[in-house]
Amino acid sequence: MVQIGYEESRKISYFQVDVNRLITPAALFSDLQEAAINHSDFLGYSVEYLTEKQTGWAVINWHLEVDRMPKLGETITVQTWCEKCRRMQAIRCFHILDEKNEIIIKGISRWIYMDLEKRKPGNIPDEMVEKYHSGQESSIPGEKFLMPKESEEVEAFIRTLEITRRDMDSNGHANNVKYLEWAMDDVPDDIYDNMKLKDVRIVYRKECLRGDEVIMKTYINTTEMGKEILTFLKDKEQTVLAEVATLWQ
């Protein structure tokens, strides 16, 4: 397969896997996020550069289509590229390839360029747009980043948690991977241990800061495609902070 944008290979480590010896969803997203950061660094826009400019990237959407999850000891190749980059946002795509050079996961994400001093979106500099934009096709053509609606017929499992220091990232808010990690904690064992994760969708609507209380509401739906688990993360005022949807077969 022809290299697209930026790529790097890595071996799945013991600390990244679960009881099934497959990479955890949170560890997988951490690898994708790391590849995105390394791509930016490769283009000349390191974390240090962005921090000096008081700017940064905030992801607002993820969608992964999973053929299979990488396993312990397997060497994978992560490819990433920007399909679009204009105004205040960029669409970043991903492929994860196995040792046979076959695509096992396709991913797409939407990022907003942030003015960290004003805590609001800012325009991407023209030079940055030119460097990021690849002109390559989307990994998931026609993606609209749509999310399922909150169920009114299925009873939700509810719990609360508090944002702590270990949840924070360099932008001063809860790292985007943490939301998925929290949502995975509420997937029942019989589903997590015996079924395969096939699809992940996440939308981030409002940032979480240290000390914030988050209310988790999780719904389990049985569909023709398998078990759909929807998790809504809300603050004390019931404002939605993020939504996570996973499909298991």
Side-chain angles (χ1 to χ4, degrees), residues 93-107:
C93 297
F94 297 89
H95 281 161
I96 293 183
L97 287 70
D98 63 12
E99 294 172 347
K100 297 179 180 179
N101 219 31
E102 296 179 350
I103 298 172
I104 58 174
I105 297 174
K106 296 178 180 178

Side-chain angles (χ1 to χ4, degrees), residues 45-88:
Y45 303 110
S46 65
V47 172
E48 290 76 14
Y49 173 89
L50 295 174
T51 300
E52 182 179 339
K53 299 293 184 181
Q54 282 292 289
T55 59
W57 291 98
V59 64
I60 57 173
N61 289 97
W62 282 103
H63 180 201
L64 261 61
E65 294 180 348
V66 181
D67 178 46
R68 68 172 182 85
M69 296 289 273
K71 59 188 178 182
L72 176 63
E74 183 175 8
T75 297
I76 60 171
T77 298
V78 181
Q79 292 185 336
T80 184
W81 68 98
C82 284
E83 176 206 351
K84 297 178 182 177
C85 186
R86 62 187 179 90
R87 295 182 182 177
M88 297 179 292

Side-chain angles (χ1 to χ4, degrees), residues 32-44:
L32 297 180
Q33 183 173 260
E34 183 74 9
I37 292 171
N38 291 342
H39 183 202
S40 290
D41 187 65
F42 175 76
L43 294 175

Side-chain angles (χ1 to χ4, degrees), residues 101-239:
N101 219 31
E102 296 179 350
I103 298 172
I104 58 174
I105 297 174
K106 296 178 180 178
I108 189 168
S109 55
R110 179 161 55 182
W111 301 69
I112 295 294
Y113 190 67
M114 296 292 296
D115 181 323
L116 298 180
E117 186 176 6
K118 298 179 180 179
R119 308 299 293 186
K120 67 178 186 179
N123 288 321
I124 306 170
D126 291 340
E127 177 186 329
M128 187 179 289
V129 169
E130 184 177 350
K131 285 190 176 182
Y132 273 104
H133 182 60
S134 69
Q136 298 287 342
E137 294 183 359
S138 173
S139 55
I140 305 179
E143 178 61 54
K144 301 297 184 183
F145 296 108
L146 300 178
M147 295 292 293
K149 301 297 183 182
E150 187 167 1
S151 177
E152 296 181 354
E153 300 177 355
V154 179
E155 184 177 357
F157 168 73
I158 301 174
R159 70 181 176 98
T160 61
L161 59 87
E162 182 178 339
I163 308 302
T164 64
R165 183 190 300 117
R166 67 175 178 270
D167 301 317
M168 309 305 290
D169 65 14
S170 60
N171 288 336
H173 55 231
N175 188 282
N176 74 86
V177 173
K178 289 294 181 177
Y179 297 80
L180 179 62
E181 194 172 63
W182 301 328
M184 287 299 102
D185 285 342
D186 291 342
V187 176
D189 288 344
D190 61 326
I191 293 177
Y192 190 96
D193 293 339
N194 301 311
M195 301 183 76
K196 297 183 183 301
L197 180 63
K198 303 302 290 185
D199 195 274
V200 183
R201 297 174 186 266
I202 308 176
V203 59
Y204 304 95
R205 302 195 182 280
K206 184 180 177 182
E207 65 181 0
C208 291
L209 304 176
R210 183 177 176 183
D212 287 350
E213 182 180 84
V214 176
I215 301 169
M216 308 274 295
K217 298 182 68 175
T218 299
Y219 302 84
I220 302 175
N221 300 314
T222 300
T223 72
E224 294 181 355
M225 299 295 292
K227 293 289 186 179
E228 181 184 61
I229 300 182
L230 310 179
T231 299
F232 294 81
L233 299 91
K234 302 183 178 183
D235 62 17
K236 291 185 290 186
E237 286 71 41
Q238 292 298 302
T239 300

